[in-house]
Amino acid sequence: MSVFTEKSLPRKSLKELGISARNVNDFLTYLKAHSIELHSLMLVRHGHVAAEGWWAPYGPDLPHMLFSLSKSFTSTAIGMAVQEGKLNVEDPVVSFFPEDVPKEISPNLAAMQIKHLLMMGTGHAFDTMDPLARVKDGNWVRAFLEQPVEHQPGTFFLYNTGATYMLSAILQNVTGETLLQYLQPRLFEPLGIANPTWESCPRGINTGGFGLKVTTEDIAKFGQLYLQKGLWGERRLLEESWIDAATSKQISNGDGGDSDWAQGYGYQFWRCRHGVYRGDGAFGQFCIVLPEQEAVLAMTSGTNDLQGVLNGVWEHLLKAFDKGEGSLADEDAAAEKDLQHVLEGLYIEPPRIEPGSVREAELGNSNRCLLEPNALDLQSTRIEIHGDTAVLDIQDKRGEHRVELGRQSWRLGRTTLFEEEEQIAASFTWKSSDTLLLSIQRIETPFRLSIEIEFLEEGIEIRSQFNVSFGEPTSAPIRGHLE
């Protein structure tokens, strides 16, 4: 198995690595047939990238929001702290926060150890993240410790993002560094992961269970480190014993069967069918490690069908691996050339319904529309169209935000519409002669916002919807009238 120190993974052809191009192409065909929206894919075998692709406007240099795939990185930090003697997985959670524990510590809370946070076996009956996020004083640690612990720790699996936050808080407590700072010289720099970012709680502790952003190749390198049992080049970054513990079944999370969410859970890693393990995040962010095939699959996505993605991997990609390198002699070079053509042409199609409307003449220098009170706190909007460019201005309590959109094609840009300034790709088309459809793809995230603006006799109605969402994807219609 290859080990290396370069900032980028080396590349080899699929045939050199014993991978069938036809099977990889079949996987891409499967995704399209099942309407599964991937944003990127990188397949690595024997430490070399065999196939890679990004669905434009996503690209290789863009970081992508990882959601719960962040948890596997947090677990890695805990493993490093254990091998440095800074903590032990048997340490009681309450021992780190004497000032934040409740006056009466229940027996189950007293029994909760670091390993229970790692294996999602804290004993809670519900995910603690909601009460943490709602607490008014911003003290998430105290809010976690105040939650009732209904079950004996280690006996009851519950996916609990608050538990991963506590791992981050404990690490910061014992090292004096944030999770991001701690991992910088120990993981990110050795692997050549540049400019990772991680969200923080109100008190400056990295969220741990979500909030990390890195690129697709960074995900692949992380998986390769685990496949290599903690070795990177000549340097050991993580003890093999920790890798084995983190990726093996620590607690039961179901009865197995056809669900890859019921095969057992390790230390912030999921067990899968076929002897595989993975880190994963909401809407299809995957780091899949296939030890028997000596392979890693990294993917970012914008889909709710996570089991569908994995079913496609088992159905098509598992068959792609030949036991011995170079034994795919019967597969012609045309298959790999065809696959390369497909990978280079991956693209998220912007909506194309009607290219124009007679109403456009009204939008050459249109007036601002004042919006009725709404849940999104939007105050006013204005849309102008000049040639093949539309400009959307939206005013809310934070100020004014601008989006430039291309006619039935993506226009790359930046906007502050979604809190922090971020990169986007945006397009517009006419859904009907009176309704304009705007699409805003947030290309460092899974999210695409679709906005319909219907032009009424004395104003407008705005309807919006996200492609994927934790809550209700559709907002209530907003009415507006000309200023």
Side-chain angles (χ1 to χ4, degrees):
M1 190 183 299
S2 294
V3 290
F4 32 75
T5 56
E6 298 297 322
K7 289 187 182 295
S8 294
L9 295 171
R11 268 69 175 166
K12 273 189 180 181
S13 72
L14 285 143
K15 191 169 183 178
E16 286 178 290
L17 295 169
I19 301 174
S20 164
R22 287 196 185 96
N23 282 86
V24 178
N25 216 340
D26 287 345
F27 177 62
L28 298 174
T29 302
Y30 165 92
L31 295 171
K32 193 169 185 178
H34 288 78
S35 301
I36 294 173
E37 182 182 306
L38 250 62
H39 295 154
S40 69
L41 171 150
M42 183 172 282
L43 178 60
V44 180
R45 194 180 196 199
H46 306 312
H48 291 74
V49 177
E52 57 191 311
W54 285 263
W55 279 254
Y58 290 84
D61 297 329
L62 289 172
H64 200 284
M65 196 176 278
L66 299 192
F67 296 95
S68 287
L69 177 49
S70 309
K71 291 179 168 71
S72 302
F73 288 80
T74 302
S75 167
T76 302
I78 295 297
M80 291 173 169
V82 167
Q83 70 189 30
E84 290 174 5
K86 290 181 167 63
L87 48 80
N88 191 289
V89 294
E90 277 82 32
D91 290 340
V93 174
V94 293
S95 67
F96 296 96
F97 309 104
E99 296 178 359
D100 292 315
V101 296
K103 288 182 179 178
E104 292 188 20
I105 300 174
S106 70
N108 283 344
L109 178 58
M112 190 190 301
Q113 300 174 353
I114 288 176
K115 66 181 179 182
H116 300 131
L117 300 174
L118 286 162
M119 70 172 71
M120 298 295 186
T122 57
H124 292 102
F126 56 87
D127 188 345
T128 56
M129 198 59 231
D130 280 348
L132 266 60
R134 288 197 306 264
V135 70
K136 291 181 180 178
D137 66 359
N139 190 335
W140 289 12
V141 167
R142 182 177 297 159
F144 178 91
L145 297 172
E146 288 174 349
Q147 302 309 309
V149 185
E150 290 88 342
H151 306 276
Q152 181 182 345
T155 66
F156 181 78
F157 173 84
L158 178 90
Y159 197 67
N160 186 351
T161 297
T164 318
Y165 168 77
M166 291 299 288
L167 292 171
S168 176
I170 288 170
L171 185 86
Q172 188 161 331
N173 180 292
V174 299
T175 67
E177 296 179 293
T178 66
L179 184 56
L180 187 64
Q181 290 167 339
Y182 180 78
L183 284 176
Q184 195 64 40
R186 294 168 174 85
L187 179 72
F188 296 134
E189 287 176 9
L191 266 58
I193 296 176
N195 305 314
T197 60
W198 211 316
E199 294 175 38
S200 299
C201 78
R203 298 172 74 216
I205 299 169
N206 291 142
T207 48
F210 61 94
L212 177 61
K213 271 188 181 180
V214 295
T215 67
T216 310
E217 185 159 353
D218 295 336
I219 298 169
K221 287 187 280 191
F222 178 70
Q224 187 65 29
L225 174 69
Y226 268 74
L227 185 62
Q228 294 173 178
K229 299 287 189 176
L231 276 175
W232 197 258
E234 301 302 318
R235 182 177 171 188
R236 175 161 293 285
L237 303 183
L238 197 54
E239 294 294 338
E240 185 171 343
S241 58
W242 180 267
I243 302 266
D244 290 340
T247 61
S248 61
K249 180 179 176 179
Q250 295 290 342
I251 191 169
S252 177
N253 60 355
D255 298 326
D258 293 334
S259 171
D260 285 292
W261 279 260
Q263 307 295 321
Y265 194 78
Y267 287 163
Q268 311 281 293
F269 284 89
W270 297 87
R271 293 295 308 173
C272 309
R273 292 172 286 168
H274 310 290
V276 174
Y277 63 87
R278 74 186 190 279
D280 80 26
F283 315 124
Q285 324 315 317
F286 284 108
C287 180
I288 302 173
V289 181
L290 305 96
E292 292 177 21
Q293 292 77 20
E294 294 190 27
V296 174
L297 179 61
M299 292 180 285
T300 62
S301 319
T303 180
N304 286 315
D305 189 6
L306 274 65
Q307 185 63 68
V309 176
L310 293 177
N311 289 345
V313 172
W314 312 146
E315 185 178 337
H316 298 289
L317 292 187
L318 274 187
K319 300 176 189 173
F321 299 101
D322 225 31
K323 297 296 182 185
E325 291 185 41
S327 59
L328 290 169
D330 59 328
E331 184 162 298
D332 58 273
E336 189 154 352
K337 190 174 180 181
D338 288 346
L339 173 62
Q340 194 58 38
H341 179 73
V342 171
L343 289 169
E344 289 172 359
L346 295 172
Y347 188 63
I348 296 175
E349 295 284 348
R352 298 185 179 99
I353 306 172
E354 294 291 338
S357 165
V358 294
R359 301 297 299 262
E360 281 192 35
E362 306 168 29
L363 301 178
N365 190 19
S366 67
N367 293 325
R368 183 175 295 276
C369 278
L370 300 177
L371 303 177
E372 296 175 359
N374 58 84
L376 301 178
D377 288 330
L378 304 182
Q379 298 167 354
S380 66
T381 186
R382 177 170 56 206
I383 181 86
E384 297 182 11
I385 299 179
H386 298 282
D388 287 333
T389 301
V391 178
L392 172 70
D393 287 310
I394 292 180
Q395 182 89 24
D396 65 12
K397 61 184 179 182
R398 293 185 294 117
E400 187 163 291
H401 316 284
R402 172 163 289 200
V403 177
E404 293 190 3
L405 310 97
R407 188 187 299 274
Q408 301 197 131
S409 64
W410 296 117
R411 176 70 58 85
L412 295 176
R414 303 185 69 86
T415 187
T416 53
L417 182 59
F418 310 101
E419 301 291 340
E420 299 292 328
E421 182 178 309
E422 63 180 279
Q423 300 187 75
I424 59 165
S427 71
F428 74 95
T429 188
W430 286 89
K431 189 174 181 180
S432 69
S433 60
D434 294 319
T435 302
L436 190 61
L437 174 60
L438 314 179
S439 299
I440 304 173
Q441 191 86 36
R442 302 174 59 190
I443 53 177
E444 293 185 19
T445 83
F447 302 120
R448 179 173 56 258
L449 176 61
S450 299
I451 304 172
E452 291 184 11
I453 302 178
E454 183 177 359
F455 296 92
L456 309 172
E457 285 188 15
E458 297 184 0
I460 60 171
E461 181 174 282
I462 300 174
R463 300 177 291 273
S464 62
Q465 181 174 4
F466 275 101
N467 59 330
V468 290
S469 171
F470 287 112
E472 180 57 49
T474 305
S475 300
I478 301 171
R479 289 270 182 143
H481 60 274
L482 289 174
E483 190 172 27

